[in-house]
Amino acid sequence: MFKAAESARQHRVPIVLDPVGAGATRLRTETARRLLAGFPPEILRANASEVLAVAGDGGQTRGVDSRHPVALARDAAVKLAGEFHITVAVTGPEDFVTDGAKVARIRNGHPLMSRVTGTGCTASAIAGAFCAVEKDAFVAAVASLVAFGIAGEMAARDNPRPGTFQVRLLDALDEIQPDHVRAGARVEIAMLPK
C-alpha cells in the first residue's frame, strides 16, 4: 500500500483511501493512520466507525460494518479534512462529505445497499474514477456518491431481494446517465462557519 501510494504521488495519480475495518483491529487502524499521515489522499471514504477510529475518536466496528451513525462522525470528518487538507466522505443511509470548508449531505441511495457486501468498496472505486476526471476532490466525492446513490435507487425498483439487487446495481451503474443525476440528486451543500 505504501509503495502504491508513493508511486501514485510520483505520477500524480489521485488517491482514495478506504480504511476498511479501521477500528476493528489495531493493525488496520494504525495502517490507515500511517497512510493518511504519509500520503494524504484526495478523498478518505469510509463508514462512520472507520472515520471515528482513524480520527482517534473511539470508533469501533464489527468487521467492516459501522456501529455508529453518520451524524456521529461529522465532527471527526471535519477534523480530519482540516488536519490533512483532504476531502472526507462518510457513507451510510445519508452520506456526509467535507473538505473542511464546505459540507454536503447526500440523501440518495436505498436501504438494500447496506445489505450487499462490497458497496462501500464500490463507492470508493467510483470516487476514484470521478477523481480521475474532476480535480476538485470535494466535487468528485459528492458527485460520485450522488451517482452511486441514484444507481442504488434505480436498482431497487420493483423491490428486489438482496441478491437480485446486487446484480441490478451493477447494471444501473452501466445504465446511469447525466440526466438521471440531474433529475434525481438530493444533495445540500453549505459552507462551514469560520
Side-chain angles (χ1 to χ4, degrees):
M1 290 180 286
F2 292 94
K3 287 181 180 180
E6 186 174 336
S7 179
R9 282 292 171 247
Q10 288 174 358
H11 295 92
R12 298 179 185 255
V13 173
I15 297 172
V16 176
L17 176 60
D18 182 344
V20 177
T25 69
R26 192 174 77 195
L27 175 65
R28 286 176 181 256
T29 305
E30 288 176 4
T31 300
R33 287 182 183 159
R34 286 180 49 221
L35 283 165
L36 185 60
F39 301 96
E42 278 65 29
I43 299 172
L44 171 71
R45 202 287 323 151
N47 67 39
S49 294
E50 292 162 342
V51 168
L52 289 165
V54 171
D57 291 342
Q60 293 184 332
T61 64
R62 297 179 304 254
V64 298
D65 296 327
S66 183
R67 288 184 177 210
H68 301 91
V70 170
L72 191 61
R74 287 182 185 153
D75 289 342
V78 171
K79 175 179 132 182
L80 287 169
E83 182 179 349
F84 294 101
H85 308 289
I86 62 172
T87 294
V88 179
V90 187
T91 54
E94 178 183 287
D95 301 326
F96 177 80
V97 179
T98 183
D99 63 1
K102 300 179 293 296
V103 297
R105 292 172 62 187
I106 302 161
R107 292 188 173 95
N108 289 102
H110 191 275
L112 279 172
M113 294 174 89
S114 68
R115 296 188 59 200
V116 174
T117 300
T119 53
C121 296
T122 304
S124 295
I126 293 169
F130 276 63
C131 269
V133 296
E134 172 55 58
K135 297 304 175 200
D136 184 323
F138 179 81
V139 172
V142 170
S144 69
L145 293 176
V146 167
F148 188 47
I150 291 171
E153 294 166 9
M154 293 166 63
R157 289 184 201 133
D158 305 325
N159 214 15
R161 303 296 298 161
T164 303
F165 174 81
Q166 183 178 31
V167 173
R168 286 185 180 180
L169 181 58
L170 294 175
D171 289 344
L173 287 168
D174 180 63
E175 178 186 346
I176 195 164
Q177 296 294 317
D179 288 346
H180 296 121
V181 176
R182 281 190 284 275
R186 293 191 314 273
V187 61
E188 298 168 17
I189 299 175
M191 298 299 293
L192 284 170
K194 292 187 177 191

